[in-house]
Amino acid sequence: MFRLLSKETNIFSIPIYMGVILAIILITNTLSFSLLNVISSFIAFCGMALGCVLFNKIGMTRRTHLPLFLYICFIFSFYTENLDIGISMALFTNSILLFFLTDENPKLRDNSYFLIGNILAINFIFMPTTWTLFLFIIIHIIGNSEKKFLLNIFRLILGIGMVFFSYFCLMYILGFNEFNWDYIPFISNKIISDFSAFYALVPILFFCVLAILDHFINFNKKSPANKYKYAFILIFLLAQCLTLVFYMGHSYEYFLLVILPISIILSRFLRFLNKPWMQEVGLWIIVLSCILFKFRLLLADFIL
């Protein structure tokens, strides 16, 4: 199967994968129909569908089917019914942010920081636990704005301030005069302490660690473009992992926030393995891990 997934995608591939994502969402939400759930599912679908396009835009996967297949497996494993609208909005805004930040035109990137600030503020309003993205954007500006650092920071802050000011004015007009302390980014009491549910994901975590170590071991062999893109993906993954560690608790749908960078990292790891049988076994281990995590509760009841 690895050989089939290593083939290059065509013009029909992305719509097919989007259709599979839509099918997963519809099947998962069959028994829980409500207006809020429909809105949340639609926003989540838009975000995850944009993610399919981002693989080719980021340009680290040679336009093969493998990262898209892994992406679908992770969505199947982590998507749940009644998905929180904050996570749905985070999926959508993350995809929009990556679209702007991975654009090859530096002038367009610089001019988009005001809009990026707007998106970050909207994302924060819906889901304050995503404040770690602010750190990611600041690091990105520091690494890419040699002469326009202060200007880009000003654009970002202005974009954030405009949305917050409009939001506070609207809330004041509607009569909401008390401040909600949930918007202060305290570290919650939901820090992960019980890891029993993650046993099925240990192989995936192990592969991710191996992939990152392999990248740095062969760092001098990489092209400057690959070094930059991989660093970009790792910093984005780190920002999202902080959100998972601080706020996920038992809300495992938070894993949807990291499936895009993990799909890229794992697809590159499998592609660079020396032997075909190792690639095939590695792929099936990832697939089985996703299936075991999805049906862990049923398996636990069956065993007990």
Side-chain angles (χ1 to χ4, degrees):
M1 189 169 72
F2 181 86
R3 184 176 297 178
L4 291 174
L5 295 174
S6 296
K7 294 182 179 180
E8 189 172 338
T9 57
N10 55 45
I11 192 173
F12 301 107
S13 300
I14 301 298
I16 291 174
Y17 284 108
M18 289 181 180
V20 174
I21 294 173
L22 181 61
I24 292 173
I25 292 174
L26 292 176
I27 293 172
T28 304
N29 291 291
T30 301
L31 300 177
S32 56
F33 182 83
S34 66
L35 179 60
L36 181 61
N37 194 32
V38 170
I39 295 173
S40 176
S41 300
F42 176 75
I43 296 173
F45 169 73
C46 291
M48 292 185 288
L50 286 173
C52 292
V53 181
L54 277 170
F55 286 108
N56 291 340
K57 185 172 176 58
I58 294 173
M60 295 180 65
T61 55
R62 296 186 179 180
R63 296 179 178 271
T64 61
H65 289 272
L66 181 59
L68 289 163
F69 176 78
L70 295 177
Y71 189 62
I72 294 296
C73 289
F74 291 139
I75 292 173
F76 168 77
S77 183
F78 302 135
Y79 186 87
T80 60
E81 61 180 356
N82 298 317
L83 184 68
D84 184 82
I85 193 168
I87 296 178
S88 299
M89 184 59 69
L91 289 170
F92 180 68
T93 53
N94 286 353
S95 296
I96 299 296
L97 286 175
L98 292 177
F99 256 94
F100 284 118
L101 296 176
T102 56
D103 196 275
E104 297 181 356
N105 186 346
K107 186 176 181 180
L108 179 61
R109 284 203 307 268
D110 290 341
N111 292 333
S112 66
Y113 282 118
F114 175 79
L115 184 56
I116 288 173
N118 295 157
I119 296 171
L120 283 175
I122 294 172
N123 192 22
F124 183 82
I125 290 171
F126 276 90
M127 193 175 177
T129 56
T130 56
W131 60 268
T132 53
L133 277 179
F134 288 87
L135 302 178
F136 165 68
I137 298 298
I138 294 296
I139 294 173
H140 179 80
I141 293 176
I142 293 173
N144 291 273
S145 304
E146 297 178 359
K147 298 180 180 179
K148 297 182 178 180
F149 171 72
L150 293 178
L151 178 59
N152 289 337
I153 290 291
F154 173 76
R155 288 168 173 166
L156 180 70
I157 294 175
L158 180 63
I160 295 171
M162 290 283 287
V163 172
F164 280 158
F165 179 76
S166 301
Y167 175 72
F168 289 141
C169 289
L170 178 61
M171 291 298 102
Y172 181 78
I173 293 172
L174 295 177
F176 295 93
N177 300 324
E178 295 184 3
F179 182 75
N180 188 345
W181 289 98
D182 289 337
Y183 286 109
I184 302 298
F186 294 118
I187 296 175
S188 74
N189 57 358
K190 295 183 178 180
I191 293 179
I192 301 171
S193 56
D194 181 13
F195 296 93
S196 58
F198 303 110
Y199 293 156
L201 301 179
V202 169
I204 295 176
L205 177 61
F206 179 68
F207 285 163
C208 287
V209 173
L210 287 180
I212 295 171
L213 288 175
D214 179 73
H215 171 76
F216 285 106
I217 290 172
N218 299 286
F219 189 76
N220 292 330
K221 300 178 183 179
K222 309 292 183 181
S223 66
N226 264 333
K227 291 178 182 177
Y228 168 79
K229 291 178 180 179
Y230 209 94
F232 175 85
I233 291 297
L234 285 181
I235 296 171
F236 177 75
L237 177 60
L238 177 61
Q240 301 288 17
C241 285
L242 289 176
T243 299
L244 266 62
V245 171
F246 292 155
Y247 303 106
M248 180 171 70
H250 296 290
S251 301
Y252 300 126
E253 59 269 23
Y254 268 76
F255 278 126
L256 292 170
L257 300 176
V258 299
I259 60 175
L260 178 65
I262 285 180
S263 297
I264 294 174
I265 291 171
L266 289 179
S267 65
R268 287 173 59 85
F269 171 71
L270 293 175
R271 178 158 55 87
F272 289 130
L273 289 176
N274 296 326
K275 299 184 181 298
W277 69 267
M278 295 174 65
Q279 296 172 328
E280 193 71 31
V281 171
L283 175 61
W284 279 107
I285 289 175
I286 294 172
V287 172
L288 290 175
S289 295
C290 291
I291 294 174
L292 288 174
F293 184 82
K294 181 70 173 181
F295 299 108
R296 65 192 183 280
L297 297 179
L298 292 176
L299 290 172
D301 292 339
F302 177 76
I303 294 172
L304 296 176

